[in-house]
Each structure stands twice: as C-alpha cells, then as structure tokens.
Amino acid sequence: MYHDRGENWFLAQVKPNCASIADKNLKRQGFKTFLPLEEETRQRNGKFVTAMRPLFPGYIFVAFDAARGFWRSVNSTYGITRLVSLGKEPTAVPEDLVSQLMSRCDATGKLLPPKLLKPGDQVTLTQGPFTNFVAEVEKITPDRRAWVLMEIMGVQTRVTVDAGHLRTV
C-alpha cells in the first residue's frame, strides 16, 4: 500500500456525479487517490447496460499529510465538497481498512470478485437480467461457471452464471 511518512488516508465527499473529475483534479495536484469501482447493470430503455460506478457513491479516498495543512488544498479542489471530519480537522481513515479495500481491487480500482465462493453461500447477481436478485450457490465448475438457485415467480429455479458476476450478501 502507498504510504509516505506522515501521510494518512482521508475520506473526501465529492459533488454529485463528480467522482472522476475530483479524482483527476486531486491527482493533478500530486495527491494519491483511491476510488474503488464496481460494475453495475441497470435496465435503461428496455436494455441492460453495464457501467462502472463508485463502490461508495459520493466519496473518494485521498492520502496526504494533515499536519502540513494539505487538507485545505483538498477542500478547495474542484469536484470536492469537503473532507469528512469529526470536529474542525479531517479524520484519518484506519490504514488497514484502505489497504484491505485496495487488496480487493485491481490496478484501476475495479472491485474483484470474491475468490472463494462455496455451495450454500448467499449471493447477489451483479449483471444480466437477474441483477440484484439474491440466490444460493449450488456448485461452481472449474471454468468459473456457477450454478445458483433463485426464486423466480414463486418457483426455485437453477440458473448458470459467470462466478465473476456474483457478490456475497
């Protein structure tokens, strides 16, 4: 994990729909940022559209040395509303929380699927026509296909999906 002497991770609230703008502007100023993303499928105009969206909508992690007063620069960055604070100064996010989140994401910040799904796990589908349906893992094949059981119209139905499109509940 990225960590220079005196630098901690902080949480910044971003303006609506400005996460990528805030990320770009913070990086331009030399700040280290972390914006975890996840794939989300939504139905638009009768079609299913998959897009990347922030895992924590409205927030971005930023690393800096608060003792040197850099937090004022973050607060005045275009796209940022304010740093999350308890009192007058920003509050650091526990370092292990950020490092664990980073370990679950790839280099671009995309959340990786859970590595160990096993039969009986409760999962949510993240893509396709059954997005946000809750299902139970029945089995996982070596080629990363998962057989899940879900209730559709009052009947338990067996469906096969890519294991990467499942998230544990």
Side-chain angles (χ1 to χ4, degrees):
M1 186 183 96
Y2 176 85
H3 187 72
D4 283 343
R5 183 178 298 178
E7 289 194 341
N8 291 308
W9 285 98
F10 296 86
L11 194 60
Q13 184 178 17
V14 297
K15 294 179 181 175
N17 301 316
C18 287
S20 60
I21 293 169
D23 186 41
K24 181 178 74 172
N25 287 324
L26 287 166
K27 285 179 179 173
R28 186 176 44 79
Q29 294 176 65
F31 290 105
K32 174 74 177 174
T33 63
F34 177 52
L35 181 63
L37 303 169
E38 68 178 344
E39 283 185 348
E40 181 183 57
T41 301
R42 289 191 176 179
Q43 189 172 6
R44 289 196 185 116
N45 299 327
K47 295 181 182 181
F48 290 97
V49 179
T50 300
M52 298 301 291
R53 74 169 195 87
L55 183 62
F56 305 108
Y59 295 94
I60 187 171
F61 293 96
V62 60
F64 59 89
D65 183 356
R68 295 180 64 194
F70 290 137
W71 61 274
R72 289 180 179 86
S73 297
V74 174
N75 268 346
S76 63
T77 299
Y78 183 73
I80 298 290
T81 301
R82 65 181 176 83
L83 283 161
V84 175
S85 305
L86 297 176
K88 293 185 179 188
E89 295 198 8
T91 305
V93 175
E95 188 172 331
D96 61 330
L97 175 85
V98 178
S99 63
Q100 287 177 18
L101 274 171
M102 286 180 159
S103 70
R104 295 211 41 225
C105 295
D106 66 11
T108 63
K110 179 182 171 188
L111 188 65
L112 299 171
K115 296 194 181 0
L116 302 173
L117 287 174
K118 57 189 180 307
D121 284 350
Q122 293 290 312
V123 293
T124 303
L125 282 77
T126 61
Q127 291 189 8
F130 300 113
T131 298
N132 295 328
F133 273 57
V134 176
E136 180 181 325
V137 175
E138 183 180 44
K139 77 175 187 178
I140 298 181
T141 62
D143 65 346
R144 299 277 300 149
R145 298 299 295 173
W147 289 94
V148 297
L149 298 172
M150 63 175 55
E151 191 172 316
I152 301 174
M153 298 175 66
V155 177
Q156 192 167 36
T157 307
R158 186 176 188 223
V159 178
T160 182
V161 296
D162 185 320
H165 298 166
L166 300 174
R167 184 174 23 170
T168 55
V169 178

